[in-house]
């Protein structure tokens, strides 16, 4: 088998955006299969590789619940075939999933007319926990379809076998991102929001950057966050982690957290693959 064959296994909670993700990957040139039972993964991928498809995206989810126990075994089989395999898991907060089902008026695939949506979500989380443990997780709570497509483009573009660092800014007022491995709280830093001229800007704009660079505690915060990461990243790499998400939060996710994420990403970009995500920025 060709080592160039790239496989993205897409899983996650129903209502978390898998259909949008699969269409986005198809637009990026991936040959997509939806709801393939896990035992068929090695055979399907081998046949498609022989037919000349170098990029494959395959959705594996709770609709094939009976086959999930064997998922790790079949994932290992793909790796042994020489495929470049990445697992992507989409999830969202329960309240968001319930709202999405209410708005779409669709039934949950696990309900069978007997369970409530909330009961189905709890059951599905339990069923998929083994897949989530080996996946890169994206929390789609509050994300627009455009943001999700942009994040997927970044994810699909990665080709390095080194651990990828994802630096993500967020606002505490909208809750913690569930996909974060490290969380740094920048709310203790001086807030540009209280300057009327800086309020409409973000941490990517030079006036805000100049304001924060002039504050000694901001530099200290970034230096200590860098030190923490430099100390512990090798341990995660030895644990064969493919992705590590570092989240920095402030009150609204507009100024301090955005600036800190940009600075940390620049520091580590020279030594590791890096992705930047600004959760509260619609076009970032």
């Amino acid at each position: 088998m060709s080592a160039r064959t790239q496989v993205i296994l897409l899983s996650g909670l129903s209502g978390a955006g898998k259909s949008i993700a699969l269409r986005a990957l198809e637009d990026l040139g991936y040959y997509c299969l939806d709801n393939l039972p896990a035992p068929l993964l090695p055979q399907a991928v081998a046949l498609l590789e022989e037919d000349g498809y170098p990029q494959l995206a395959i959705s594996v989810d709770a609709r094939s619940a009976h086959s999930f126990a064997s998922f790790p075994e079949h994932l290992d089989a793909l790796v042994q075939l020489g495929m470049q395999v990445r697992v992507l898991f989409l999830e969202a907060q329960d309240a968001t999933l319930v709202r999405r089902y209410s708005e779409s008026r669709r039934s949950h695939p696990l309900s069978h007319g007997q369970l409530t949506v909330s009961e189905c979500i709890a059951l599905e989380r339990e069923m998929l926990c083994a897949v989530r443990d080996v996946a890169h997780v994206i929390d789609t709570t509050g994300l627009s379809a455009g943001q999700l497509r942009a994040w997927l483009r970044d994810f699909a573009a990665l080709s390095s076998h080194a651990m990828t660092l994802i630096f993500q800014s967020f606002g505490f007022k909208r809750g913690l991102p569930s996909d974060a491995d490290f969380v740094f709280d920048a709310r203790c830093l001086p807030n540009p929001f209280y300057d009327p001229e800086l309020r409409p800007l973000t941490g990517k704009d030079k006036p805000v950057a100049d304001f924060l660079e002039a504050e000694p505690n901001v530099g200290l915060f970034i230096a200590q966050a860098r030190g923490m990461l430099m100390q512990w990243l090798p341990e995660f790499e030895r644990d064969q982690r493919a992705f590590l998400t570092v989240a920095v939060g402030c009150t609204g996710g507009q100024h301090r957290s955005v600036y800190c994420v940009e600075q940390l990403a620049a520091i580590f970009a020279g030594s590791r693959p890096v992705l930047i995500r600004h959760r509260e920025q619609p076009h970032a």
Side-chain angles (χ1 to χ4, degrees), residues 68-88:
F68 260 87
S70 60
F71 179 84
E73 171 189 344
H74 300 298
L75 176 60
D76 288 341
L78 290 179
V79 175
Q80 293 301 317
L81 287 173
M83 308 298 176
Q84 298 179 30
V85 185
R86 289 171 288 169
V87 186
L88 180 63

Side-chain angles (χ1 to χ4, degrees), residues 77-146:
L78 290 179
V79 175
Q80 293 301 317
L81 287 173
M83 308 298 176
Q84 298 179 30
V85 185
R86 289 171 288 169
V87 186
L88 180 63
F89 190 94
L90 303 184
E91 67 180 15
Q93 295 176 4
D94 286 11
T96 297
L97 295 172
V98 170
R99 176 179 54 78
R100 290 174 182 173
Y101 268 100
S102 176
E103 291 172 350
S104 69
R105 299 188 179 182
R106 296 178 58 199
S107 61
H108 194 284
L110 297 181
S111 67
H112 305 299
Q114 298 177 343
L115 300 176
T116 66
V117 172
S118 294
E119 290 170 336
C120 290
I121 293 169
L123 176 61
E124 192 173 31
R125 286 192 189 278
E126 182 178 353
M127 290 169 54
L128 299 180
C129 62
V131 182
R132 188 188 190 280
D133 287 345
V134 297
H136 168 53
V137 180
I138 294 180
D139 183 350
T140 67
T141 303
L143 289 187
S144 67

Side-chain angles (χ1 to χ4, degrees), residues 88-282:
L88 180 63
F89 190 94
L90 303 184
E91 67 180 15
Q93 295 176 4
D94 286 11
T96 297
L97 295 172
V98 170
R99 176 179 54 78
R100 290 174 182 173
Y101 268 100
S102 176
E103 291 172 350
S104 69
R105 299 188 179 182
R106 296 178 58 199
S107 61
H108 194 284
L110 297 181
S111 67
H112 305 299
Q114 298 177 343
L115 300 176
T116 66
V117 172
S118 294
E119 290 170 336
C120 290
I121 293 169
L123 176 61
E124 192 173 31
R125 286 192 189 278
E126 182 178 353
M127 290 169 54
L128 299 180
C129 62
V131 182
R132 188 188 190 280
D133 287 345
V134 297
H136 168 53
V137 180
I138 294 180
D139 183 350
T140 67
T141 303
L143 289 187
S144 67
Q147 281 178 300
L148 178 56
R149 284 192 289 265
W151 290 15
L152 284 166
R153 283 195 297 269
D154 291 340
F155 177 84
L158 293 171
S159 59
S160 174
H161 292 288
M163 184 175 73
T164 297
L165 294 179
I166 299 169
F167 290 96
Q168 177 176 329
S169 67
F170 71 96
F172 275 96
K173 68 180 183 182
R174 290 185 56 207
L176 287 165
S178 65
D179 50 351
D181 298 294
F182 284 87
V183 176
F184 294 99
D185 186 348
R187 288 177 294 183
C188 58
L189 302 177
N191 193 351
F193 176 85
Y194 295 110
D195 184 327
E197 295 184 359
L198 301 181
R199 185 174 303 167
L201 305 178
T202 77
K204 297 173 69 174
D205 293 311
K206 190 175 186 303
V208 174
D210 290 342
F211 172 91
L212 292 171
E213 285 173 4
E215 297 288 342
N217 278 347
V218 175
L220 180 61
F221 180 92
I222 292 170
Q224 291 183 337
R226 174 189 178 276
M228 169 73 78
L229 295 172
M230 291 293 290
Q231 174 71 37
W232 293 106
L233 286 183
E235 299 300 323
F236 285 94
E237 288 171 326
R238 277 191 280 272
D239 197 35
Q240 303 296 310
R241 289 288 294 271
F243 297 90
L244 190 86
T245 300
V246 179
V248 182
C250 59
T251 305
Q254 301 291 330
H255 300 103
R256 295 165 290 181
S257 61
V258 171
Y259 174 79
C260 291
V261 157
E262 292 286 334
Q263 296 301 306
L264 287 168
I267 290 169
F268 286 93
S271 59
R272 292 174 173 85
V274 165
L275 294 179
I276 298 174
R277 294 174 178 168
H278 298 301
R279 193 182 74 178
E280 320 306 352
Q281 306 293 316

